[in-house]
Amino acid sequence: MAEEKSDRSDPSRKNFRQPDMRKDFDSFRRRYIVVYLVIMLADWMQGTHMYTLYLSYNVNISALFLTGFLSGAVFAPFLGSAVDKFGRKNSCLVYCVLEIVINCLEHSTNFGVLLFGRVLGGISTNLLFSAFESWMTTEHRKRGFPEEWLSRTYSDASIGNGIMAILAGIVSQVLEDRFGHSKLEIEMANIAYWSHLLVPILIMDANDSFLFERQLVLSKEPSL
């Protein structure tokens, strides 16, 4: 016990473990950033074609967008606690499923189907801006990383999100020039669809890696 207390109070031992913790943190941060940027690119891709897609259906566009905003406002107070109760990783997977369903519903010209898609869109938007960040923050703390390192992950995610927005605009313009307006919606929807389909795979892989590394660390710790 005396030796254990000495190890905890010895700053040299703490500094000795710092490089290993930094390496683990960088690996953790990269995994999260990859998942986050893929999901944000898919969201930006989807947003670039939605208005023109609705315009081609000759429907009440303002009613569709208003429905999405109202849905987000109605479900926002409940989704935070639902994410905590249902599980943050599971909520991220639910978001991906919702977005795939929404992308499929957008190809319908039925106004009722489009309205239902906007209701789901309000729910998914709340999940996008709550589940992923809360999952990362919780995992960050579970792994014992310093609180001040969270700002670096948030900063990289914010910068990356801006880059994804620019990239989505460039890609949409390239597709418009190459395929024309008639095929642009289909191409953008396909990109968003497959991106959301990829994220669950990345999430499961990241989570398995987190668990494996955590078990590895625990197995190396001396038993008391």
Side-chain angles (χ1 to χ4, degrees):
M1 293 294 294
E3 183 179 353
E4 180 188 353
K5 187 177 294 185
S6 176
D7 290 345
R8 291 178 180 177
S9 60
D10 188 357
S12 63
R13 288 185 178 272
K14 186 176 180 181
N15 293 334
F16 177 76
R17 296 183 62 183
Q18 191 80 358
D20 293 334
M21 180 177 287
R22 173 68 71 174
K23 184 178 179 181
D24 292 340
F25 168 73
D26 288 339
S27 177
F28 163 79
R29 181 179 55 84
R30 283 193 297 269
R31 289 195 188 98
Y32 170 73
I33 292 297
V34 168
V35 172
Y36 182 80
L37 293 187
V38 169
I39 211 72
M40 293 309 299
L41 176 62
D43 185 66
W44 283 112
M45 287 288 190
Q46 184 176 245
T48 56
H49 78 279
M50 190 175 296
Y51 178 84
T52 53
L53 182 65
Y54 292 155
L55 190 64
S56 66
Y57 293 161
N58 194 26
V59 295
N60 190 336
I61 301 176
S62 59
L64 290 173
F65 279 99
L66 182 60
T67 300
F69 295 142
L70 287 176
S71 173
V74 169
F75 286 101
F78 311 104
L79 283 178
S81 58
V83 167
D84 292 335
K85 183 177 180 180
F86 186 62
R88 296 168 182 87
K89 188 193 76 172
N90 291 333
S91 299
C92 294
L93 296 175
V94 168
Y95 166 80
C96 296
V97 172
L98 284 176
E99 285 299 322
I100 291 173
V101 171
I102 291 169
N103 285 328
C104 294
L105 294 178
E106 284 178 355
H107 292 286
S108 172
T109 57
N110 184 281
F111 187 68
V113 174
L114 295 175
L115 279 176
F116 178 63
R118 288 297 82 220
V119 172
L120 295 181
I123 298 174
S124 67
T125 299
N126 281 314
L127 288 176
L128 174 62
F129 292 103
S130 61
F132 286 89
E133 290 186 355
S134 63
W135 178 39
M136 182 275 294
T137 303
T138 301
E139 188 64 32
H140 179 100
R141 289 168 177 164
K142 281 183 179 179
R143 294 171 66 83
F145 297 135
E147 284 291 310
E148 57 267 22
W149 290 1
L150 269 173
S151 60
R152 182 181 175 189
T153 305
Y154 281 120
S155 175
D156 290 347
S158 179
I159 294 172
N161 184 28
I163 295 174
M164 292 302 103
I166 297 171
L167 181 60
I170 294 174
V171 171
S172 63
Q173 186 61 55
V174 171
L175 291 175
E176 167 73 20
D177 295 339
R178 182 172 181 179
F179 297 107
H181 181 72
S182 60
K183 291 186 178 180
L184 175 63
E185 293 87 359
I186 297 176
E187 295 299 328
M188 300 300 281
N190 286 337
I191 292 173
Y193 174 86
W194 288 108
S195 297
H196 285 111
L197 201 61
L198 172 65
V199 166
I201 300 174
L202 294 173
I203 289 176
M204 296 303 293
D205 177 69
N207 188 67
D208 291 342
S209 298
F210 294 156
L211 290 177
F212 172 76
E213 290 177 5
R214 195 168 182 81
Q215 290 172 355
L216 188 63
V217 170
L218 290 175
S219 66
K220 288 183 179 180
E221 291 183 351
S223 58
L224 299 177

